[in-house]
């Protein structure tokens, strides 16, 4: 029954997304990229350095980098609270953790309900659009593979994404 439900969803353009909070906004990523969810305090961290790469952790025998998206998306210092979650991601090339302000839930979106990003945000290739749930919630839908492949480099004193 489960596989037929997923097949029916694929036929109608419906997809499941994990929604999460980050810097006062709500985002969504394809649920197929989610390996597991962990509270930040439960990860066995054995290295912590860097600004955005907040360290290396061990989860289920896999050593992975942990990216603190709260720093990447905002200039505020990270404050850990019980709602701080780590999303363990299965990406094309690796497994890595992503620290967020908190996971909201799993939502189903119709691909027809994902509108292109407005204005200049349309130029950012990892922003797929703004999705609207049946309840009217608006979520910024991201391509997590593209987002996690961005590299920051110093260029004449300026930090640019590449």
């Amino acid at each position: 029954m489960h596989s037929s439900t997923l097949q029916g969803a694929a036929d109608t353009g419906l997809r499941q997304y994990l929604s999460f909070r980050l810097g006062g906004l709500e985002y969504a990523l394809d649920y197929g990229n989610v390996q597991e969810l962990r509270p930040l305090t439960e990860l066995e961290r054995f290295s912590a350095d860097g600004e955005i790469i907040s360290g290396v952790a061990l989860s289920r025998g896999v050593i992975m980098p942990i990216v603190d998206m709260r720093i990447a998306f905002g200039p505020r210092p990270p404050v850990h609270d019980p709602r701080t979650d780590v999303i363990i991601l299965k990406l094309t090339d690796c497994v890595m953790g992503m620290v967020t302000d908190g996971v909201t839930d799993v939502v189903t979106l119709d691909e027809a309900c994902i509108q292109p990003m407005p204005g200049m945000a349309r130029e950012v290739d990892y922003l797929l659009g703004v999705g609207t749930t049946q309840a009217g919630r608006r979520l910024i839908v991201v391509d997590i593979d593209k987002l996690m492949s961005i590299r920051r480099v110093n260029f004449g004193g300026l930090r640019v994404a590449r």
Side-chain angles (χ1 to χ4, degrees), residues 6 67 72 99 144:
L6 290 176
V67 176
V99 181
I144 199 63

Side-chain angles (χ1 to χ4, degrees), residues 66-97:
I66 303 295
V67 176
D68 195 333
M69 297 305 285
R70 300 168 305 161
I71 295 171
F73 275 59
R76 69 197 195 303
V79 176
H80 304 319
D81 66 35
R83 295 174 299 186
T84 302
D85 289 317
V86 178
I87 303 169
I88 309 297
L89 300 165
K90 296 180 291 188
L91 302 175
T92 304
D93 297 330
C94 66
V95 173
M96 67 187 325

